[in-house]
Amino acid sequence: MFENLSGKLQSVFSGLSNRGKLSEADVDAALREVRLALLEADVNFKVVKDFIKRVRERAVGAEVMRSLTPAQQVVKIVHEELIATLGETARLDLSGPSPHVIMLVGLQGSGKTTHAAKLATTLRKGGQRPLMVAADTRRPAAITQLEVLGRQIDVPVHSEGDRVPPPQICANAVKRARESAYSVVLLDTAGRLHIDDQLMHELEEVKAKTKPQEVLLVVDAMTGQDAVRVADEFNQRVGLTGLILTKVDGDARGGAAISVRSVTGVPIKYLGVGEKTDALEVFYPDRLASRILGMGDVLTAIEKAQDVLDQEQSLKVGKKLAKGEFDLEDFRDQLQQLKKMGSISRLLDMIPGMSQLTAGLAPDVTEQQMKVIEAIINSMTPGERHNPRIINASRKRRIAKGSGTTVVEVNDLLTQFRQMQRMMKQMTGAGKHGRGMRGLLGMLGGLDR
Ligand SMILES: Nc1nc2c(ncn2[C@@H]2O[C@H](COP(=O)(O)OP(=O)(O)OP(=O)(O)O)[C@@H](O)[C@H]2O)c(=O)[nH]1
Ligand SMILES: [Mg+2]
């Protein structure tokens, strides 16, 4: 979503850093381009104006101009001010006695029902017991849609058909949650094409009857500045505690995400990044700012990687590596992990300079290759696996025969193993390679923890 903007900003900054010392005119010229890029990304013009003013005030300050790296200082200021514009890191408020009521509101098709299921999924992962409530009695298929999702993720759905008024259904659901020890109640309310009084009254009534801790507006990022206007209006009428910006995976220009907090004062809490029930990201302003400025969203990438990788095993391998005991069995385990990582290689690319590294580290191990590798390693004796240097020509022939492979294949595997061993050793002695390497190693081997 931010690709275009990101590309433009990066070229502005690389132009700056080619200059060495900066004059006030240099800064102004750069900021003019930044301003244009933001406007083209559909950021609210008032937000842009304010942003540029704040950056300029700091950037033409004597300290920056006299520093040895004025361009970097300017980028740093832009980064900090972008974070300030995006807002604070805001979490769901699940304090106080349960059940906690979370009310989802928004226009038709913005993603309320889908995000009720996404939230239920992530909250349950966090140890909650969610109950979803079909409070959209208006659209004929709405109840069934939520029930289907509920079955998919195995979360119960409270519904009373389409004859009972939604505020009543919601009140009943909260009562049921209290009696049956559900800890979170997610209210999936009806949407309209446009904001109208009838909808607002209904929502106000639901709110009065259920006293939600959170009223989250689900808003479609693809609608750009309209999303900002809608958020402002919902906030005035119903009162919001947070926003879920959806369809961020689409080709929206990013303006809504950058402006909405600033214009409405309501924090973004989540980003919807796909149709599936796990396509939900917690919103971190600092990470998004880094991503927009091309600094790489390291933390998100690492979190994803940690989700995929087997922690305990990684830890074990990390310790072995440190002691120089990494052997062929670990190699096999590690390749299996790397295969799982395949799906996140795109994410690792978010880290500057990481793509070259992962190109070396994460060979595209296919299912078939994995089978061959396993067969070869399984045909070795424990001694050979632990100390492959003892594998001479006759042992290679035996291993090839035992695994139904050829000596060439056995040789290939041993070469690969040595390469990986060398690479990992280099990374353990991080030093000159800097934090990126240590970070990746920590991720792979648990050494940073
Ligand atoms: N790509 C993408 N699609 C999404 C996302 N969230 C929801 N959708 C899709 O958007 C469409 C509408 O989503 P719903 O959850 O039904 O929206 P709603 O707000 O409940 O709509 P109404 O009940 O009609 O008011 C569905 O096709 C979803 O799959 C997202 O984050 N990314
Ligand atoms: Mg719906």
Side-chain angles (χ1 to χ4, degrees):
M1 161 156 147
F2 298 98
E3 252 166 51
N4 237 323
L5 174 61
S6 187
K8 287 205 182 106
L9 292 179
Q10 281 175 55
S11 81
V12 176
F13 295 137
S14 69
L16 266 190
S17 35
N18 288 338
R19 294 184 152 260
K21 281 264 170 238
L22 292 185
S23 69
E24 205 168 312
D26 292 333
V27 172
D28 279 334
L31 287 183
R32 259 196 304 278
E33 284 178 64
V34 171
R35 181 173 161 275
L36 263 182
L38 289 170
L39 288 173
E40 268 172 42
D42 196 27
V43 179
N44 176 287
F45 79 94
K46 269 196 231 134
V47 174
V48 176
K49 198 171 150 205
D50 218 49
F51 173 81
I52 297 290
K53 185 162 162 267
R54 293 195 322 259
V55 173
R56 187 178 189 282
E57 257 164 34
R58 294 180 56 191
V60 299
E63 236 167 275
V64 172
M65 297 310 224
R66 257 191 277 116
S67 81
L68 286 174
T69 53
Q72 267 142 289
Q73 300 295 326
V74 171
V75 176
K76 185 162 165 273
I77 292 168
V78 169
H79 187 227
E80 284 167 7
E81 292 302 333
L82 190 55
I83 295 173
T85 306
L86 288 168
E88 67 278 43
T89 308
R91 290 294 83 90
L92 283 187
D93 175 18
L94 297 178
S95 60
S98 62
H100 312 287
V101 179
I102 300 177
M103 182 175 168
L104 297 171
V105 302
L107 293 186
Q108 209 166 62
S110 57
K112 294 176 293 299
T113 308
T114 314
H115 282 76
K118 289 185 190 180
L119 281 178
T121 307
T122 162
L123 288 170
R124 194 182 42 195
K125 254 197 210 154
Q128 301 285 346
R129 279 192 74 211
L131 174 69
M132 299 195 290
V133 183
D136 179 359
T137 55
R138 187 159 290 261
R139 196 162 57 79
I143 298 175
T144 325
Q145 186 194 356
L146 191 67
E147 283 171 342
V148 168
L149 284 169
R151 273 197 295 278
Q152 242 175 53
I153 59 171
D154 196 25
V155 167
V157 172
H158 179 93
S159 79
E160 301 181 28
D162 56 7
R163 299 267 165 83
V164 182
Q168 191 56 51
I169 297 177
C170 293
N172 292 343
V174 173
K175 190 160 164 279
R176 172 176 161 193
R178 195 168 295 125
E179 286 161 3
S180 313
Y182 289 105
S183 61
V184 180
V185 184
L186 291 154
L187 308 176
D188 176 31
T189 64
R192 298 279 200 291
L193 231 35
H194 303 285
I195 295 176
D196 64 40
D197 280 341
Q198 203 192 357
L199 169 70
M200 290 299 170
H201 281 139
E202 185 177 298
L203 296 177
E204 279 161 19
E205 216 181 316
V206 170
K207 194 178 171 188
K209 278 209 150 81
T210 59
K211 309 244 170 341
Q213 259 100 336
E214 292 278 357
V215 182
L216 302 178
L217 178 74
V218 179
V219 61
D220 184 340
M222 307 282 283
T223 58
Q225 287 316 299
D226 251 2
V228 177
R229 196 183 46 75
V230 166
D232 208 23
E233 220 163 320
F234 265 90
N235 189 36
Q236 312 271 347
R237 297 287 299 261
V238 193
L240 302 173
T241 61
L243 304 169
I244 301 180
L245 200 63
T246 66
K247 308 185 195 180
V248 172
D249 51 311
D251 54 7
R253 283 175 294 166
I258 296 174
S259 334
V260 75
R261 163 62 226 264
S262 215
V263 174
T264 64
V266 182
I268 303 176
K269 294 199 172 172
Y270 290 95
L271 300 178
V273 293
E275 300 197 21
K276 299 227 179 78
T277 50
D278 62 354
L280 188 69
E281 280 179 12
V282 175
F283 178 72
Y284 295 103
D286 47 339
R287 296 189 195 178
L288 184 59
S290 304
R291 194 145 95 194
I292 292 173
L293 297 183
M295 294 169 169
D297 191 353
V298 180
L299 289 171
T300 301
I302 288 178
E303 249 170 36
K304 288 268 176 197
Q306 282 176 338
D307 258 6
V308 174
L309 296 177
D310 181 335
Q311 295 283 313
E312 211 169 299
Q313 206 188 4
S314 297
L315 206 67
K316 205 180 77 191
V317 170
K319 285 198 183 122
K320 284 194 169 179
L321 257 175
K323 285 199 232 152
E325 290 173 2
F326 184 76
D327 65 15
L328 270 162
E329 275 177 32
D330 304 316
F331 176 65
R332 180 186 58 197
D333 295 345
Q334 211 58 9
L335 279 182
Q336 255 154 1
Q337 297 253 7
L338 286 173
K339 199 173 88 194
K340 278 197 254 168
M341 261 174 69
S343 58
I344 60 155
S345 61
R346 195 175 50 83
L347 267 160
L348 285 174
D349 287 343
M350 286 182 192
I351 306 175
M354 191 55 98
S355 42
Q356 294 117 299
L357 190 65
T358 45
L361 247 185
D364 261 339
V365 194
T366 64
E367 203 71 45
Q368 186 53 35
Q369 283 168 316
M370 202 58 228
K371 275 191 193 135
V372 172
I373 290 168
E374 275 180 351
I376 293 176
I377 295 178
N378 289 342
S379 295
M380 295 175 184
T381 65
E384 287 165 347
R385 279 179 218 150
H386 192 61
N387 184 11
R389 261 170 310 201
I390 64 171
I391 303 178
N392 56 20
S394 80
R395 283 178 190 250
K396 280 178 193 165
R397 277 196 298 277
R398 193 204 78 237
I399 293 167
K401 204 164 165 218
S403 56
T405 59
T406 62
V407 172
V408 176
E409 279 170 304
V410 175
N411 272 331
D412 281 351
L413 172 72
L414 291 173
T415 311
Q416 247 184 311
F417 170 67
R418 273 194 300 274
Q419 275 167 357
M420 186 155 181
Q421 214 176 17
R422 203 175 315 129
M423 184 145 24
M424 291 194 145
K425 217 174 260 159
Q426 271 172 13
M427 287 168 55
T428 343
K432 64 178 177 185
H433 294 293
R435 263 192 305 157
M437 291 250 188
R438 264 206 305 276
L440 178 70
L441 186 63
M443 201 172 79
L444 283 173
L447 283 182
D448 265 7
R449 266 168 275 129

